[in-house]
Amino acid sequence: QVQLVESGGGLVQPGGSLRLSCAASGFTLDYYAIGWFRQAPGKEREGVSCINISNVTTDYADSVKGRFTISRDNAKNTVYLQMNSLKPEDTAVYYCAKTYGSSCSRLSHEYNYWGQGTQVTVSS
């Protein structure tokens, strides 16, 4: 059974940091890319970042470039999203997802399994 479980969300002040984790089970992480997405109330799902096998390829949305860093630990079957210099506009539910194949992408239609999400709220 394929499962993705996000954790690490919470309430943080503007300028603060959080690290999200995506624990994967039911498949070998080595053969797939993992993406992070977010969705704020009233907005469409946004592809934040993705990472493929062995960190060969990464990609970031312009809105988070320079502030967020994606990484993976295949031995732990876990992908991380380090979020620094957080802004109120980063407030959203963050999801991790698994690709159909192994190519890195921030397009949601290229993913076939999704976690339940973790809430990130940036507020003073």
Side-chain angles (χ1 to χ4, degrees):
Q1 185 88 324
V2 173
Q3 187 174 8
L4 299 168
V5 180
E6 303 94 336
S7 62
L11 176 64
V12 64
Q13 294 182 348
S17 298
L18 286 173
R19 188 178 77 159
L20 305 183
S21 297
C22 174
S25 61
F27 66 96
T28 302
L29 192 60
D30 304 88
Y31 301 112
Y32 299 93
I34 299 294
W36 282 100
F37 296 79
R38 67 185 182 185
Q39 188 163 22
K43 297 183 179 180
E44 295 184 348
R45 186 186 302 154
E46 176 188 20
V48 175
S49 184
C50 64
I51 186 168
N52 73 348
I53 300 171
S54 300
N55 198 31
V56 174
T57 302
T58 59
D59 191 30
Y60 298 91
D62 289 342
S63 58
V64 307
K65 195 171 298 182
R67 299 188 297 120
F68 291 9
T69 303
I70 190 170
S71 62
R72 68 193 298 164
D73 187 336
N74 290 344
K76 297 180 179 179
N77 245 33
T78 301
V79 174
Y80 305 95
L81 184 68
Q82 178 67 46
M83 306 185 295
N84 298 326
S85 302
L86 284 163
K87 305 174 181 179
E89 49 263 45
D90 295 318
T91 297
V93 177
Y94 283 71
Y95 302 88
C96 65
K98 165 191 169 293
T99 55
Y100 285 98
S102 60
S103 297
C104 188
S105 175
R106 291 187 291 107
L107 302 175
S108 61
H109 69 263
E110 296 187 6
Y111 293 79
N112 61 351
Y113 288 96
W114 296 78
Q116 294 299 305
T118 185
Q119 176 71 49
V120 172
T121 302
V122 184
S123 176
S124 60

